[in-house]
Amino acid sequence: MKRLFAALISILALAGCESLPDKQEGAARNVVFLSAQHCLSEFLEDLDKNHYGPCLKITGVEGNPPQVREDGFIELPVATPLTLATSCVYRHADGSPIPQTMETVDYTVTERTFTKAGQRWYLHAHKQARGVIGCEPTLSRSTYPTYETD
């Protein structure tokens, strides 16, 4: 079962990479790409199931609705301070949102946050998928949680 799961993840990752923003495209326009929304999850091997963690969505850039590209990313200028409005929500075991848990938080980008054009970034709702409360946006280059839960 684990091999089948690993093979499926590899195939999906390769297929997904084809639709990601191009580094040269970002470098030419001096922008980075930030995922407009992202949900954390963690596979629990001992239970052989996926745990659905919190989701974060960028709802505003400097007070304006984000301009989301077809690939699900927004473009942000390099070395430019700005404020991102975010919305976080936790999910049930089936992956559906729990509306009562929705929380909004601003995330501040400084001139030192994005320094290299063309890179892809993800703003997570928290540092890990399980055992967390609230909305604490965490910037990462990875789609995976910063920490695995024990």
Side-chain angles (χ1 to χ4, degrees):
M1 181 68 166
K2 288 181 186 177
R3 285 187 178 173
L4 177 61
F5 183 72
L8 181 60
I9 294 297
S10 296
I11 291 169
L12 291 173
L14 289 174
C17 288
E18 293 176 11
S19 65
L20 292 175
D22 182 76
K23 284 184 178 185
Q24 280 99 11
E25 174 189 3
R29 291 201 309 273
N30 203 32
V31 297
V32 295
F33 303 103
L34 180 63
S35 181
Q37 67 180 50
H38 182 68
C39 294
L40 291 174
S41 63
E42 185 176 342
F43 186 73
L44 308 175
E45 290 188 31
D46 54 333
L47 300 176
D48 197 32
K49 72 173 197 170
N50 203 29
H51 172 79
Y52 296 101
C55 296
L56 179 140
K57 180 177 183 177
I58 297 172
T59 59
V61 178
E62 286 296 302
N64 298 308
Q67 299 299 311
V68 182
R69 296 163 40 113
E70 285 183 25
D71 56 20
F73 286 81
I74 60 175
E75 296 180 17
L76 296 176
V78 172
T80 304
L82 49 89
T83 301
L84 303 174
T86 68
S87 173
C88 299
V89 68
Y90 284 77
R91 299 184 286 169
H92 291 287
D94 66 358
S96 63
I98 306 171
Q100 308 88 299
T101 65
M102 195 186 65
E103 183 178 344
T104 58
V105 173
D106 284 343
Y107 183 82
T108 303
V109 173
T110 71
E111 63 276 350
R112 293 182 304 276
T113 304
F114 302 119
T115 58
K116 188 171 181 183
Q119 293 182 327
R120 290 183 290 274
W121 291 87
Y122 300 86
L123 195 57
H124 301 302
H126 226 288
K127 292 180 181 171
Q128 58 193 46
R130 297 190 302 152
V132 293
I133 297 173
C135 185
E136 295 183 19
T138 304
L139 193 62
S140 176
R141 294 287 320 279
S142 172
T143 59
Y144 298 104
T146 305
Y147 300 109
E148 285 188 22
T149 311
D150 294 332

